């Protein structure tokens, strides 16, 4: 069953300007070390940051809270599998919210997809609840 859906559209030029203006202060406030390392290795640094920004916004919407209700930017993080597929990980208050919204006997799966076409970066997040196998449903 679907627990939440979120989407966001970020302007890559705006994120680039924010990085130019605030530099490390902005990066350290919003992005984990893993996200920063990934972005800094990419040819399109600003585009990579913009996609991750959009993913965090989309995830907060899928959690039903938005960023105004206490979720920290770093409570949501995008990493990539070896195949390149993005994966959303949540910790802290975002994890607590995810656990609250997940029905008993289910596990929550966060699906995320990212795309960009300059000057736009876009993310979609779908939170799914899958029934646990009987031996795990407790």
């Amino acid at each position: 069953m679907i627990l939440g859906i979120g989407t966001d559209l970020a302007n890559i030029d705006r994120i680039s300007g924010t990085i130019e203006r605030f530099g490390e202060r902005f990066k350290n406030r919003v992005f984990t070390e893993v996200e920063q390392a990934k972005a800094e290795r990419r040819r399109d640094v600003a585009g990579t940051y913009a996609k991750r920004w959009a993913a965090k916004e989309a995830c907060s919407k899928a959690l039903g809270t938005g960023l105004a209700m206490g979720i920290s930017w770093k409570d949501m993080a995008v990493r990539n599998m070896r195949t390149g597929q993005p994966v959303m990980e949540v910790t802290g208050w975002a994890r607590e919210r995810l656990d609250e919204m997940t029905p008993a006997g289910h596990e929550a799966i966060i699906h995320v997809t990212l795309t960009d076409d300059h000057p736009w970066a876009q993310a979609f997040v779908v939170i799914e609840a899958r029934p646990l196998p009987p031996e795990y449903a407790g």
Side-chain angles (χ1 to χ4, degrees):
M1 87 181 72
I2 302 299
L3 299 179
I5 300 171
T7 185
D8 193 66
L9 186 65
N11 185 289
I12 296 169
D13 294 333
R14 180 174 162 251
I15 296 297
S16 179
T18 302
I19 292 169
E20 287 175 22
R21 185 170 176 200
F22 298 104
E24 297 303 311
R25 194 170 115 210
F26 168 71
K27 292 176 189 177
N28 291 333
R29 182 174 155 257
V30 176
F31 302 101
T32 65
E33 289 180 16
V34 171
E35 290 173 309
Q36 290 180 51
K38 175 75 172 181
E40 297 299 329
R41 287 192 307 267
R42 302 295 298 264
R43 187 176 62 229
D44 183 10
V45 173
T48 302
Y49 279 120
K51 285 186 281 190
R52 278 150 177 72
W53 171 281
K56 292 167 186 267
E57 287 275 7
C59 185
S60 72
K61 293 171 185 175
L63 289 168
T65 62
L67 285 158
M69 294 183 67
I71 293 179
S72 164
W73 286 102
K74 287 185 173 181
D75 285 348
M76 301 166 289
V78 177
R79 68 173 182 79
N80 294 86
M81 297 172 66
R82 288 180 192 257
T83 61
Q85 176 183 348
V87 178
M88 179 66 68
E89 296 179 339
V90 293
T91 58
W93 200 88
R95 169 52 65 184
E96 291 174 23
R97 173 67 183 142
L98 182 63
D99 291 345
E100 286 172 6
M101 62 192 289
T102 305
H106 290 73
E107 66 176 333
I109 309 295
I110 302 174
H111 303 277
V112 60
T113 186
L114 309 172
T115 191
D116 65 293
D117 187 6
H118 197 88
W120 301 106
Q122 186 174 33
F124 286 96
V125 171
V126 176
I127 302 175
E128 172 190 13
R130 288 186 189 160
L132 289 169
E135 62 269 19
Y136 294 104

